[in-house]
Amino acid sequence: MKPAPDLFNLVHSLDKFEKRYVTLFLSSGFYRNNKSSLALFRAISRQKEFDETALKKQLGRSVTARFSAEKNKLFDLILESMFFLYRDSSPERKIVRERLRAWFLFQKGLKQAGWKYFHRAVRLAESYEITPQLAMLAYQQNQEVRLSAAEDALFSSAEFHRRDERLTRGLSEDLVLHTLFTEMIQVQKHHGEYTPAAEKEFRAILRHPLLKPSRKLISFSAQMSRIEIRSLYYSMRGDHDKAYECFVELIAAMETSETYIHRMYVRYVNALSNQLMHAVLSHRYEVVPGLVEKTMEANRGILDYFSYDIVYNEIIGIRLFELVAYKNRADTAKGPAMMEYLEKMFARYRPQMRDTLVVGYLFLFGVYHFYLGDRKKALLHLNDLVDSTGMEAGLNFQCMARLVRLVIFYELGDAELVNSQCQSVQRLLRKHGRLGAFEQALLVFLRKTVTQSGRPATQKLLSLAHRLAPGSYSYGAWSDFEFGSWLKSRIEKRPLRELIAARLKGKGK
């Protein structure tokens, strides 16, 4: 761990409620004398950027003499306080609490009381179908039965076999399906774009016996994983209609029981967000308003499970899907107003956001301004994206943003800038596996036709765009850019937003 930047980022990731709890925790004396840690915590909280020299000036010599140790100590104490704050905020944590109580009582020789808490943990794990916790409880049960002479701790061998058979199968299903999901992501990363070779590897994964719909799975979590794998496959193929249907099925299964929703609440919220995303990408605009409200409401419930700043996530993250819908529909009535509102909220909450989110938002803002015909504002956002974040953050957006910037430079007729940038963009895309057939053709087109009308070349590239999906399927929902509509707008000399709206009307959705 790099204690300085990590500590600063940890302190500033806490919301007001969490900061207040940390302050009380450090002030209570419950966990040793932490006056120096409290002073350091308050000093870092007041800083907008980490400045170690300024911190040392504010704090006494007794703290600065062992400054590295104090920083590490505060980092650990913050994590310890969050353990106490959120120890009962999920089923898993409740089970761990009961299991540890049972363990403590067993160690003190209070076997009867220990089994009471142990069986309480088992009932919780069974009701929420948390197989990994059941496995840990089985291990603890085996240990205590071997050590105990109490009759109420002894069980028949048949009962152990029934328990172990079910646990082994449940754990195996979960582990295998999670591994298959990981394999699909690795295939995606390896190939970069959707190729026949990638399809062959995907098909091999999908032939696994556990992925057959007729195969009955013991674990509800495994059943959900099976649907998620199918949705991932369709997402990577660009088949947003089928991906949307997968998430409808997934959410319907979770909503059959409140227990299932509480058991995997964050998974449920993610499923709603993905359903909303694919509703937008498959142009099901009639369901978008209802899904936005449902997803926002579910997102607020995350506070019952985790520390989470839902304000900027629901206002910016979820509302961005609405903006994508307005963009795709070329809605110039509601879109610009939503855009202005989101830009203000983004500026307010940007310091709290992860770089990956910042990159995604800047990209979408830039693309939408370009669709509206405002190249200047589009460049401001895209330049901000390229200049203020490293390539490790939001690689998909980073690559696509550089292509869109080239398109803007091309429209501005800056041949020198287009030629110099084309070379660097080509190297970057090749390095990160994003240089597909369409990207190569686009870069050649931009370089050759920047100083002339290039109508035949534009028509040729447009024909290629109809045959090839732009770039990698892993670019994602927000990094979608209508290259085909842009080329057609140049040929027909019509605004880009009009062409996009006309194309979507033809789909009848």
Side-chain angles (χ1 to χ4, degrees):
M1 182 188 80
K2 298 177 181 178
D6 282 358
L7 176 59
F8 178 84
N9 292 334
L10 175 61
V11 169
H12 285 271
S13 70
L14 303 175
D15 58 33
K16 290 182 179 178
F17 175 67
E18 290 168 335
K19 285 184 177 179
R20 181 174 180 276
Y21 191 88
V22 172
T23 301
L24 293 173
F25 183 83
L26 296 176
S27 305
S28 66
F30 170 72
Y31 210 84
R32 302 187 300 270
N33 185 342
N34 297 306
K35 288 184 179 179
S36 59
S37 298
L38 180 59
L40 179 57
F41 176 74
R42 286 172 169 166
I44 293 176
S45 297
R46 289 192 293 267
Q47 287 190 331
K48 292 185 177 180
E49 294 182 359
F50 184 73
D51 187 339
E52 188 167 305
T53 303
L55 284 176
K56 288 181 176 179
K57 288 180 180 179
Q58 295 176 46
L59 302 169
R61 184 176 297 178
S62 60
V63 177
T64 57
R66 53 181 193 282
F67 201 55
S68 293
E70 287 290 347
K71 287 184 291 186
N72 285 320
K73 177 185 173 184
L74 176 58
F75 195 96
D76 290 340
L77 286 172
I78 292 173
L79 295 181
E80 193 69 23
S81 68
M82 292 300 100
F83 169 78
F84 283 104
L85 178 60
Y86 293 108
R87 63 187 181 274
D88 295 334
S89 61
S90 70
E92 286 88 347
R93 290 182 175 128
K94 291 177 183 177
I95 294 165
V96 169
R97 181 193 62 189
E98 301 300 323
R99 184 165 58 83
L100 290 176
R101 286 176 173 179
W103 172 84
F104 178 77
L105 291 168
F106 287 146
Q107 300 304 305
K108 297 300 181 182
L110 302 172
K111 300 293 184 179
Q112 187 173 356
W115 285 114
K116 172 185 171 183
Y117 287 99
F118 178 86
H119 291 306
R120 188 182 295 176
V122 171
R123 286 194 297 272
L124 277 169
E126 287 178 341
S127 65
Y128 287 105
E129 293 190 13
I130 307 178
T131 309
Q133 288 288 353
L134 282 169
M136 296 182 71
L137 287 162
Y139 182 80
Q140 184 177 357
Q141 183 183 36
N142 290 342
Q143 282 188 314
E144 294 305 324
V145 167
R146 288 199 302 269
L147 296 172
S148 178
E151 291 183 2
D152 61 347
L154 300 177
F155 303 87
S156 68
S157 58
E159 182 177 343
F160 280 110
H161 284 302
R162 284 194 299 269
R163 178 203 67 187
D164 292 346
E165 184 179 352
R166 183 179 177 85
L167 282 174
T168 301
R169 183 180 161 192
L171 282 169
S172 175
E173 288 175 353
D174 277 345
L175 182 58
V176 169
L177 286 166
H178 279 292
T179 302
L180 292 174
F181 194 95
T182 304
E183 284 180 15
M184 294 196 80
I185 293 174
Q186 291 303 109
V187 173
Q188 172 192 19
K189 290 179 179 178
H190 175 71
H191 289 278
E193 61 182 320
Y194 203 84
T195 62
E199 170 71 14
K200 184 178 179 181
E201 292 187 45
F202 287 136
R203 289 288 182 181
I205 294 171
L206 293 171
R207 284 195 293 270
H208 193 282
L210 286 180
L211 292 175
K212 293 180 179 178
S214 59
R215 176 72 174 265
K216 188 176 180 180
L217 301 175
I218 193 171
S219 164
F220 182 77
S221 175
Q223 295 171 38
M224 299 301 96
S225 294
R226 181 159 65 187
I227 302 174
E228 288 169 341
I229 289 171
R230 291 208 319 269
S231 70
L232 177 63
Y233 170 67
Y234 291 129
S235 296
M236 292 188 294
R237 285 188 63 184
D239 192 337
H240 302 297
D241 283 306
K242 288 188 176 179
Y244 175 83
E245 291 168 4
C246 284
F247 284 107
V248 170
E249 180 185 356
L250 184 68
I251 291 164
M254 290 184 178
E255 289 179 345
T256 57
S257 169
E258 285 292 322
T259 298
Y260 290 148
I261 293 177
H262 291 304
R263 158 72 182 89
M264 46 187 71
Y265 195 82
V266 174
R267 203 169 177 178
Y268 173 67
V269 175
N270 286 337
L272 285 172
S273 297
N274 279 296
Q275 183 188 16
L276 174 59
M277 177 182 72
H278 288 292
V280 170
L281 291 175
S282 59
H283 316 301
R284 302 170 189 266
Y285 300 119
E286 71 283 356
V287 303
V288 168
L291 279 176
V292 166
E293 293 305 318
K294 184 176 181 179
T295 307
M296 287 177 65
E297 182 62 31
N299 193 73
R300 295 184 190 107
I302 287 183
L303 282 178
D304 293 334
Y305 298 84
F306 293 102
S307 165
Y308 201 73
D309 191 339
I310 64 167
V311 177
Y312 71 76
N313 186 69
E314 72 176 33
I315 290 176
I316 298 179
I318 298 171
R319 291 292 184 186
L320 271 178
F321 288 118
E322 280 190 279
L323 186 62
V324 174
Y326 294 144
K327 179 201 76 173
N328 289 352
R329 297 173 68 181
D331 188 332
T332 54
K334 298 179 181 177
M338 174 67 79
M339 180 71 174
E340 183 180 356
Y341 171 68
L342 288 177
E343 285 179 314
K344 288 180 180 177
M345 298 304 296
F346 173 74
R348 176 180 176 183
Y349 288 102
R350 180 173 179 171
Q352 302 175 33
M353 294 184 186
R354 300 188 305 275
D355 283 347
T356 303
L357 288 176
V358 170
V359 169
Y361 299 161
L362 287 173
F363 178 83
L364 181 57
F365 294 157
V367 167
Y368 195 38
H369 279 302
F370 180 72
Y371 280 15
L372 294 174
D374 193 333
R375 298 191 192 105
K376 183 178 179 181
K377 285 187 178 179
L379 270 178
L380 281 174
H381 286 298
L382 295 174
N383 287 338
D384 187 359
L385 186 162
V386 171
D387 296 339
S388 64
T389 56
M391 279 302 295
E392 68 278 0
L395 180 61
N396 299 334
F397 298 113
Q398 293 276 5
C399 293
M400 190 67 85
R402 283 159 171 79
L403 286 174
V404 178
R405 276 208 317 173
L406 274 176
V407 167
I408 297 174
F409 296 150
Y410 175 87
E411 289 207 337
L412 294 172
D414 194 330
E416 184 178 349
L417 191 55
V418 168
N419 285 325
S420 65
Q421 288 292 311
C422 273
Q423 295 177 15
S424 63
V425 171
Q426 186 174 28
R427 287 194 299 270
L428 183 140
L429 295 180
R430 181 182 291 113
K431 176 182 177 181
H432 295 288
R434 264 65 176 180
L435 188 63
F438 178 80
E439 279 86 355
Q440 294 187 59
L442 176 65
L443 291 172
V444 171
F445 168 82
L446 294 174
R447 189 181 296 120
K448 286 187 175 181
T449 64
V450 66
T451 56
Q452 53 189 333
S453 61
R455 184 183 177 91
T458 307
Q459 187 66 56
K460 182 179 179 181
L461 184 60
L462 177 60
S463 299
L464 183 64
H466 289 159
R467 298 198 307 272
L468 296 174
S472 165
Y473 47 77
S474 64
Y475 276 2
W478 297 344
S479 53
D480 178 42
F481 182 80
E482 294 285 346
F483 285 106
S485 296
W486 170 69
L487 292 166
K488 193 174 180 181
S489 74
R490 294 191 62 80
I491 294 171
E492 299 183 6
K493 301 187 184 304
R494 291 173 60 191
L496 176 58
R497 61 180 181 274
E498 290 183 10
L499 281 167
I500 294 171
R503 179 181 65 77
L504 293 177
K505 278 183 182 178
K507 297 197 174 190
K509 291 185 178 180

